[in-house]
Amino acid sequence: MKFWLSPAFCDTAHFTGLARAAEEHGYEGIAIPDHLFHPVELSSPYPYTPDGSRYWSRHTHWPEPWVAIAAMAAVTKRLRFTTNIYVAPARDLLTVANQVATAAYLSQGTMAGHHRVALGVGPGWSKDEFIATGQAFAKRGARLDEMLVALRQLWTGEVVEIAGPNFTLPACSITPTPNDPIPVYVGGVSDIAINRAARNDGWIGIYHTVDEVKSIMERLRTAREAAGTLNRPFRAMLAVLAEPTPEMCAQLEAWGVTDLLNAPWMTDIKAMTPPGPSLAEMTDALAGFAERYVKG
């Protein structure tokens, strides 16, 4: 089992320190969350609380993910990076293509290197983000599907021409692009999201009970069978609401889980209330967790 760190709600100034500590203690990677801004009133409810309210304040940091990833890649050599999740259809195609490709290229370290970046993506839940960026909230799923096809073409660095209902580009190319393809992990538990993940390189979730994990993994396998992608590498990443003992990890791996997300310092509301825990508190918690589970 591979372990990934989630720095959600942390002070952005701590990210590079957390990245160094995560690499030192054997973590596989870091997954960065994404929101564009803090609307005072929500036009659509937050889907992960009973009453639809957010459990963070307007002072909580939501940094631009690809800037953060580039900074962390610059101070590490092995650590991988993804987003959990990036609301790509709220942006325009070329912005997404260039930001992700540049972060991946920088993570190579050298022109001949191999990059350490994946795009964790979803259609998003916040209508306000689409209103603010001038994109159609109702078309976000269709925009995402079309965008993913176009991104894979643009990331080759070759000249491409895009002509679709949502995106149109004349013959063009972008630089820089990384040497290797950029994996795409899809978030969400709806049937549409599961099927979208099955067509791509992986699925990325939030926190789930053990029973929920078993059900999700069964659905993913069925969807991958239908999509004809069972013979391709596939990453399934989430946080599980259970202690990641060797026995638990073996069971999760048997179901198809490849990676577990965690934030070892996230023990009470202080961890989600600015200024939050110090870097020393977080790295101590990270080291303790790694000693118990990651290196064991």
Side-chain angles (χ1 to χ4, degrees):
M1 184 68 70
K2 304 293 186 182
F3 289 86
W4 289 62
L5 201 66
S6 174
F9 313 112
C10 295
D11 187 326
T12 308
H14 297 329
F15 277 23
T16 53
L18 285 172
R20 290 189 183 97
E23 182 162 86
E24 176 186 351
H25 291 287
Y27 275 78
E28 178 74 2
I30 291 181
I32 306 294
D34 174 48
H35 276 301
L36 283 164
F37 68 114
H38 297 279
V40 175
E41 299 290 339
L42 291 177
S43 298
S44 48
Y46 180 61
Y48 304 111
T49 57
D51 63 357
S53 64
R54 295 158 291 185
Y55 47 76
W56 60 88
S57 79
R58 68 180 182 86
H59 302 290
T60 301
H61 288 197
W62 292 94
E64 204 295 313
W66 305 106
V67 173
I69 284 172
M72 291 186 291
V75 299
T76 55
K77 295 180 179 179
R78 176 193 57 79
L79 205 65
R80 296 183 177 277
F81 303 96
T82 192
T83 41
N84 185 22
I85 58 170
Y86 185 63
V87 189
R91 279 89 166 185
D92 68 273
L93 172 61
L94 286 175
T95 294
V96 176
N98 272 295
Q99 287 183 325
V100 180
T102 300
Y105 183 85
L106 288 171
S107 77
Q108 291 180 167
T110 66
M111 288 181 65
H114 298 284
H115 77 82
R116 297 177 278 140
V117 163
L119 171 62
V121 71
W125 60 267
S126 175
K127 187 175 182 179
D128 299 286
E129 292 178 319
F130 288 79
I131 294 172
T133 57
Q135 309 298 348
F137 183 67
K139 295 182 178 180
R140 65 195 187 282
R143 279 176 56 81
L144 177 56
D145 288 332
E146 189 177 328
M147 179 181 279
L148 291 179
V149 173
L151 287 174
R152 291 187 188 277
Q153 294 175 301
L154 287 164
W155 288 336
T156 66
E158 301 296 325
V159 173
V160 300
E161 191 169 351
I162 309 295
N166 294 288
F167 303 103
T168 301
L169 287 177
C172 64
S173 62
I174 65 168
T175 53
T177 56
N179 295 327
D180 307 308
I182 298 174
V184 174
Y185 310 147
V186 175
V189 294
S190 68
D191 288 343
I192 292 174
I194 294 292
N195 290 331
R196 184 179 286 128
R199 298 191 299 270
N200 285 281
D201 307 299
W203 174 81
I204 186 166
I206 50 170
Y207 40 83
H208 295 279
T209 66
V210 174
D211 288 343
E212 288 171 342
V213 174
K214 183 179 181 182
S215 174
I216 291 168
M217 296 312 300
E218 288 172 348
R219 293 169 61 205
L220 278 168
R221 181 174 181 82
T222 299
R224 291 175 65 203
E225 283 180 331
T229 58
L230 266 180
N231 62 339
R232 297 195 328 214
F234 191 85
R235 207 151 205 159
M237 180 188 310
L238 75 159
V240 63
L241 297 173
E243 183 184 1
T245 61
E247 296 76 19
M248 175 58 68
C249 287
Q251 179 63 81
L252 295 172
E253 286 179 330
W255 292 338
V257 177
T258 58
D259 305 80
L260 288 180
L261 285 159
N262 69 87
W265 56 85
M266 197 72 72
T267 56
D268 56 44
I269 196 65
K270 177 192 174 187
M272 299 192 300
T273 305
S278 67
L279 178 59
E281 289 172 322
M282 289 191 288
T283 54
D284 285 348
L286 182 158
F289 182 93
E291 187 65 30
R292 292 192 300 276
Y293 304 114
V294 178
K295 294 184 177 179

